[in-house]
Amino acid sequence: MKFVIYKDKLVESVQNVSKAVSSRTTIPILVGIKVVATDEGVIFTGSDSDISIESSVEKHENDQINVEVIQTGKIVLHARFFSEIVKKLPDKQVEIEVTDNFHTIVRSGKAEFNLIGLDAEEFPRLPEIEEGLSFQISNDLLKTIIRQTVFAVSTAESRPILTGVNWVIEKDLLTCIATDSHRLALRKAPISINPNKSFNVVIPGKSLTELNKLLDDNQEPVEVVFMENQIVFKTKNLLLFSRLLEGNYPDTSRLIPDESKTELTLQTKEFLQAIDRASLLAREGKHNIVKLSTLTNNTVEISSTSPEIGKAVEELQLERVEGEDLKISFSAKYMLDALKSLEEQELTISFTGAMRPFILHSINDQSQIQLILPIRTY
Amino acid sequence: MKFVIYKDKLVESVQNVSKAVSSRTTIPILVGIKVVATDEGVIFTGSDSDISIESSVEKHENDQINVEVIQTGKIVLHARFFSEIVKKLPDKQVEIEVTDNFHTIVRSGKAEFNLIGLDAEEFPRLPEIEEGLSFQISNDLLKTIIRQTVFAVSTAESRPILTGVNWVIEKDLLTCIATDSHRLALRKAPISINPNKSFNVVIPGKSLTELNKLLDDNQEPVEVVFMENQIVFKTKNLLLFSRLLEGNYPDTSRLIPDESKTELTLQTKEFLQAIDRASLLAREGKHNIVKLSTLTNNTVEISSTSPEIGKAVEELQLERVEGEDLKISFSAKYMLDALKSLEEQELTISFTGAMRPFILHSINDQSQIQLILPIRTY
């Protein structure tokens, strides 16, 4: 194998696939990045067996030469060292050559690295991507959907299925749900897919978090492909394979209340800052509890108490307070997470009593719901 | 105690004095910041008993009112909570009032925090600053001196005296020396002090690191005051007290060679980058060893080897190579630290054989010397 590649392209690809590489792998070859040079260009792959990322550098791109493959071939190079080395190479061009016994020479300017490579035949093969069972979505929207749901997955391993996000596709509608059983995030988005196909999968939260880091903020399309036990996200030069979680995701539809007894309409940012201040003292307590009480004149009081430190209290003028008086306690962290995920300047919180789950939603747009369970204190 | 203060001034002072507060203190009151309101303004103090920082907000500054003291008094408030709270207050003005039993109310806009304060009488008193035994130095120069020496102090507790920087003042010359017995940093600066006075103190590295963070990058003067067991750094609104290390600092003057057998003159940045690349593989080994060998035509070879990973080798064109041929090994980390501390574009390295300490110095300016002990490998 021998090729000459632009350093920028090399660094970008190696950094992208490194995101899938774990230093704590039980499969020795997975400490490495697979490099495959073909007549079409060079493909880099990193994997921790749950997630695999493949990044390709095509020979030509918009009349510009990215890479010149002198001899095809493949090798596996230690991910950590390889990625640190390529970042610090002195010249804008890099030559990579495999000689005998998987020995690999990385040359750039007057610097030369002789690396001990590993046999690429030992690297696990990624499954072939089947065509047909897929839909397209823009980078932007996919990133927003991830951001608005993934924070609510469970971090406890006691119910593994809850560490993933449930993606349900039915009749051109994608519904994404995450819950750790104390709160729930739900986001819907219309998509275009073969209307006879429906899917119900659970994608590990970690995979979606990595995908979010990998995608650019633009409107380019991402192809999402459903496969046996796997989901694949495919952009122009990137592929992310993630295994799916096995098991049935709980039915959460009955959790979401469809009536309300008290409704608040408020400025998201002002409310967020007030909760943030109250949470400074709440953080000491085990549950990070903040209290909210309706007052007169469209005003609420937000308060928190820590026996050792003191008490915080703040009155906040809202846009609208309607319905029954309410005193309710909840986790400041869950409230802050939910508020940060909402993009609207104004939002509505609908309560059905101090002991029932309440929901945050935008006034005009019903595509997103954040649900939080209160904490009993009164 | 009751005063109204501008939030910006409050946040700045509290952040400054928080740098001295440790969460792992054995003296309970030192988790707090002392706040003292007098007729002249408000003084904030934080301390971990090794370092104490005092920041004062004067009543008026350039015809602008910073603080209005309604009632003088003092209190101690929990440093971590107090500093987090002040940063997030909603209004640009803040009122702080102590009521009964050290209860303290922090008000800003519609937010109100009731904090449980501590008795300021229990807070250790800082020593009175004696006049006379002091000199002035600019912020800039003091920061540079710290940056060029403090990295070389020992982190091992086996010889506590080496965890400090030795400051010697003799005949209007300040000499600062730090060594961990594998390398040494020396920086001299002319100062103006009573010529009959000489000092020899050892300042904890940690105190100088904190001082460096505290000082602004400007040419304002800092007054350095020598006291019994203490040194004080004094700017317009800040005071940093540090205890001094007890014991005799070793005499290092004979370590520094005054002759040389091989001299290299080189571009600092180019050389630094080449060492940095070689160190990528060296890092795996216990001693982080990089080798340097002179070649012909003003060229040196920089190389490193890791049995598991591979080998890095690079030829570097220097400005000048003079004297005997040389093969020498040294710690890449020590070389990088030394190179980063030198501000000159070009520098000279003087060797007196592969087994003797070598020095890095600027071509024109002898005020700074970095010395490194080689490692035996050949």
Side-chain angles (χ1 to χ4, degrees), chain A residues 78 80-81 84-85 88-90 110-116 276-277 280-281 283-284 307-315 317, chain B residues 78 80-81 84-85 88-90 110-116 276-277 280-281 283-284 307-315 317:
Chain A
H78 194 291
R80 186 159 57 87
F81 290 98
E84 284 184 7
I85 287 167
K88 293 194 170 167
L89 290 174
K110 290 197 166 179
E112 189 176 301
F113 289 84
N114 285 268
L115 302 176
I116 301 166
D276 195 22
R277 276 190 287 275
L280 291 174
L281 297 192
R283 230 180 274 166
E284 274 304 91
E308 291 89 36
I309 309 301
K311 199 181 158 195
V313 59
E314 180 160 353
E315 278 182 29
Q317 185 77 31
Chain B
H78 195 291
R80 187 159 56 88
F81 291 98
E84 284 182 7
I85 287 167
K88 294 193 170 167
L89 290 173
K110 290 197 167 178
E112 188 175 301
F113 290 84
N114 285 268
L115 301 176
I116 301 166
D276 196 20
R277 277 190 286 274
L280 291 175
L281 297 192
R283 232 180 272 166
E284 274 303 91
E308 292 88 37
I309 309 301
K311 203 183 151 187
V313 58
E314 181 161 353
E315 278 182 30
Q317 186 77 32

Side-chain angles (χ1 to χ4, degrees), chain A residues 204-220:
Chain A
K206 188 169 167 286
S207 303
L208 292 170
T209 303
E210 290 303 331
L211 177 65
N212 189 31
K213 287 186 214 157
L214 212 55
L215 296 176
D216 291 326
D217 274 312
N218 62 34
Q219 307 214 337
E220 296 277 307

Side-chain angles (χ1 to χ4, degrees), chain B residues 287-305:
Chain B
H287 290 296
N288 197 354
I289 299 171
V290 165
K291 291 183 193 183
L292 181 146
S293 318
T294 52
L295 306 174
T296 50
N297 297 329
N298 286 357
T299 308
V300 290
E301 185 189 271
I302 292 161
S303 65
S304 67
T305 309

Side-chain angles (χ1 to χ4, degrees), chain A residues 97-251:
Chain A
E97 182 180 2
V98 178
T99 57
D100 297 344
N101 268 326
F102 313 120
H103 273 99
T104 306
I105 305 166
V106 179
R107 282 189 201 94
S108 179
K110 290 197 166 179
E112 189 176 301
F113 289 84
N114 285 268
L115 302 176
I116 301 166
L118 297 164
D119 186 358
E121 289 298 331
E122 287 178 25
F123 203 88
R125 265 165 230 275
L126 298 182
E128 289 287 317
I129 298 176
E130 303 143 31
E131 301 295 331
L133 310 175
S134 69
F135 69 92
Q136 289 207 336
I137 187 168
S138 73
N139 265 324
D140 276 4
L141 180 56
L142 180 52
K143 281 172 79 78
T144 303
I145 289 173
I146 294 173
R147 205 176 54 74
Q148 293 180 335
T149 51
V150 78
F151 66 87
V153 301
S154 170
T155 52
E157 290 297 323
S158 52
R159 286 184 72 188
I161 198 80
L162 295 187
T163 63
V165 181
N166 187 204
W167 280 30
V168 180
I169 292 175
E170 249 170 29
K171 297 188 184 118
D172 279 0
L173 185 68
L174 169 67
T175 306
C176 304
I177 297 167
T179 180
D180 60 4
S181 76
H182 301 294
R183 47 139 166 215
L184 179 144
L186 180 148
R187 170 68 205 242
K188 293 179 189 173
I191 54 160
S192 179
I193 196 165
N194 181 333
N196 296 321
K197 293 281 175 192
S198 64
F199 291 96
N200 188 327
V201 297
V202 185
I203 309 168
K206 188 169 167 286
S207 303
L208 292 170
T209 303
E210 290 303 331
L211 177 65
N212 189 31
K213 287 186 214 157
L214 212 55
L215 296 176
D216 291 326
D217 274 312
N218 62 34
Q219 307 214 337
E220 296 277 307
V222 181
E223 196 180 344
V224 183
V225 187
F226 293 92
M227 290 165 58
E228 182 83 21
N229 304 326
Q230 295 261 357
I231 189 164
V232 188
F233 300 91
K234 191 174 166 184
T235 70
K236 193 161 164 286
N237 295 313
L238 278 174
L239 278 178
L240 182 138
F241 288 77
S242 168
R243 77 177 170 95
L244 296 172
L245 293 177
E246 282 171 40
N248 292 318
Y249 201 82
D251 176 17

Side-chain angles (χ1 to χ4, degrees), chain A residues 314-344:
Chain A
E314 180 160 353
E315 278 182 29
L316 194 68
Q317 185 77 31
L318 306 189
E319 302 297 304
R320 187 177 64 101
V321 180
E322 240 170 57
E324 298 177 3
D325 280 347
L326 178 78
K327 280 179 195 288
I328 193 165
S329 302
F330 48 82
S331 152
K333 183 182 181 304
Y334 291 168
M335 182 57 94
L336 290 173
D337 284 348
L339 289 168
K340 283 175 194 162
S341 81
L342 286 151
E343 279 163 348
E344 308 280 320

